[in-house]
Amino acid sequence: MAQQVLQHGAPVHRALQGAMAAPVQFVPQDDLPEGAAYEQHIFETRRVPTRDNLHDFFNGLVWLQFPQAKRRLNELQAGAIVAHGIGAVRGPLRDALTVFDENGALLDAPAPIWQALQAREWTRLFVDLRPLWHEARLLLFGHALLEKLAAPRKPIVAHVYRAQCAMDSVANADAWLAQQMEPGHWAGKPFSPLPVLGVPGWWAANEDPSFYADAQVFRPPRVLAGPTS
């Protein structure tokens, strides 16, 4: 519905506002007072300043699909801003929240897939274990990730969080994810990088195993230097 409204030339905030019920109101970008922190403004007013671009359109769609998780994420961002202010560098919690907000996803998959993903064993993950991906479900959350996939490129990476809940509906996943967002846990960035176009069925080119030989995309695990004598 929102897309149909946009096609008739309506501003993005108006298209989103008329789509379905949301815990926030979508308003023009000018609603954000000069000098105000974006996340804190949303938390205090429940109004989301929205620009007329694809990035903010997808942000609005995520608010509509994951209202509980987005509200919790915003609450934590605003709390960190109140506690520490706005500095040149985000603290660990705000940095992790921003990473997931922009590029996050939930992955429900059998244990061997998770083990290979965390070890960055790309050939095992996508070639050897390919049949197991039929038992996996990848649910996108990050609005920047969605924007990038509108013009797909091989290097696009999602930061995935392991889903340990019933993924039979987005509503269940949303409620579970909101409960997972505890500051101490989240500040540690409990995510794994996943080149999403390597997922079986997501990109025709990955039917060829040589697709995964590109070390610029499917990077080997980092080797930590040992102590020097």
Side-chain angles (χ1 to χ4, degrees):
M1 179 178 178
Q3 183 179 2
Q4 294 174 346
V5 176
L6 282 175
Q7 289 173 343
H8 287 83
V12 169
H13 75 274
R14 189 174 300 163
L16 292 168
Q17 195 61 37
M20 57 190 294
V24 291
Q25 181 181 359
F26 300 101
V27 296
Q29 179 66 21
D30 291 346
D31 188 80
L32 181 65
E34 185 175 353
Y38 172 80
E39 294 286 354
Q40 190 171 3
H41 177 75
I42 294 173
F43 180 74
E44 293 175 350
T45 66
R46 297 207 173 191
R47 294 162 66 91
V48 179
T50 304
R51 299 165 296 183
D52 289 323
N53 59 30
L54 198 59
H55 187 86
D56 285 12
F57 174 64
F58 281 125
N59 182 50
L61 292 185
V62 177
W63 268 105
L64 295 174
Q65 291 296 312
F66 294 90
Q68 294 184 60
K70 284 287 280 187
R71 184 65 180 160
R72 176 60 175 159
L73 189 152
N74 175 245
E75 177 186 24
L76 292 176
Q77 285 273 23
I81 290 171
V82 170
H84 306 292
I86 299 289
V89 178
R90 297 188 186 99
L93 176 59
R94 287 196 64 218
D95 187 43
L97 292 168
T98 300
V99 165
F100 195 79
D101 191 29
E102 296 284 344
N103 292 294
L106 291 175
L107 177 62
D108 177 22
I113 285 180
W114 266 102
Q115 292 161 3
L117 174 60
Q118 292 179 316
R120 302 193 186 188
E121 296 175 345
W122 304 116
T123 299
R124 173 168 168 74
L125 175 65
F126 291 123
V127 180
D128 300 343
L129 298 176
R130 201 170 188 87
L132 269 186
W133 280 92
H134 292 292
E135 301 176 27
R137 184 178 181 192
L138 180 63
L139 188 58
L140 303 186
F141 181 89
H143 55 281
L145 175 61
L146 292 166
E147 181 186 17
K148 293 171 190 174
L149 287 170
R153 296 183 304 109
K154 190 175 182 180
I156 296 173
V157 171
H159 294 268
V160 298
Y161 186 73
R162 187 173 188 178
Q164 296 176 307
C165 66
M167 293 270 279
D168 54 327
S169 72
V170 176
N172 285 342
D174 176 36
W176 178 84
L177 179 59
Q179 294 176 349
Q180 291 294 300
M181 291 184 180
E182 292 300 325
H185 174 56
W186 218 251
K189 286 187 181 177
F191 321 129
S192 296
L194 173 68
V196 290
L197 294 185
V199 175
W202 279 54
W203 195 244
N206 73 35
E207 293 292 333
D208 184 343
S210 66
F211 181 86
Y212 303 105
D214 186 348
Q216 294 300 311
V217 175
F218 301 96
R219 299 179 180 180
R222 295 177 183 175
V223 177
L224 299 178
T228 57
S229 57

